[in-house]
Amino acid sequence: MIIAGTWHETITDGLIAGAQRTLDAAGAAHSVVRVPGSFELALAAQAAFAGGADAVVALGVIIRGGTPHFEYVSAATTDGLTRVALDAGKPVGFGVLTLDDEQQGLDRAGLPGSKEDKGAEAADAALRLARVITELRG
C-alpha cells in the first residue's frame, strides 16, 4: 500500500508515480491512500497493517520553514514510521523528503528533469525488505 501526504502536491504526485511504477514492475498489488500530511503517515501505516497490508510505502514532503516546526514534524514522522514497522514486523519504505526548499523536492520526485526518484526508491526498499524478511522467517 502507498500512503502519501497531500502537502506539496506536485512533488508528492511525482513520488506516488515513481512508487507505482516500481510496484507495477514487480507485479505487486497496491492501492494509494492520501492523508493530510507527513505527521499522519504513521497512524495510517499502522491501520494499513492492521487491515492486512504486507508492506507500506510512506511518502511525504516536509520543507523547512522559519520555525522549529520542521524539526518536530520530521522527527515525529521518522520515529512514528520506525515504530510502526517494528511493531508490525513488516516493511515501511521511507519516502519522506525533508527539504530546505521546494527545488530539492522537485529534484528528487522522479519528475521529468529530476535527478532522483525517491518514490521508486522507497517502493524498491519495501519490496526488497519484504523478501529478506520472508527469507529470514523461513
Side-chain angles (χ1 to χ4, degrees):
M1 172 171 290
I2 299 169
I3 303 174
T6 56
W7 287 94
H8 310 288
E9 187 175 17
T10 300
I11 298 168
T12 304
D13 287 350
L15 295 171
I16 292 169
Q20 288 176 315
R21 282 191 302 273
T22 298
L23 296 174
D24 289 343
H30 62 278
S31 58
V32 177
V33 173
R34 300 298 289 258
V35 296
S38 294
F39 183 82
E40 291 78 20
L41 292 169
L43 184 57
Q46 184 181 56
F49 286 137
D54 295 321
V56 166
V57 180
L59 306 173
V61 179
I62 308 169
I63 299 178
R64 186 179 307 277
T67 68
H69 181 74
F70 172 86
E71 283 81 13
Y72 298 133
V73 173
S74 297
T77 300
T78 302
D79 293 348
L81 288 169
T82 300
R83 179 178 153 204
V84 168
L86 292 171
D87 288 351
K90 295 181 180 183
V92 174
F94 189 83
V96 179
L97 304 183
T98 53
L99 311 165
D100 289 321
D101 56 51
E102 185 177 19
Q103 187 59 51
Q104 288 178 339
L106 295 170
D107 289 342
R108 291 165 175 80
L111 299 166
S114 293
K115 299 170 187 166
E116 298 175 271
D117 189 343
K118 295 299 185 182
E121 290 177 21
D124 181 63
L127 290 169
R128 290 174 39 195
L129 184 54
R131 290 183 197 113
V132 169
I133 289 170
T134 298
E135 287 177 24
L136 292 172
R137 291 183 179 158

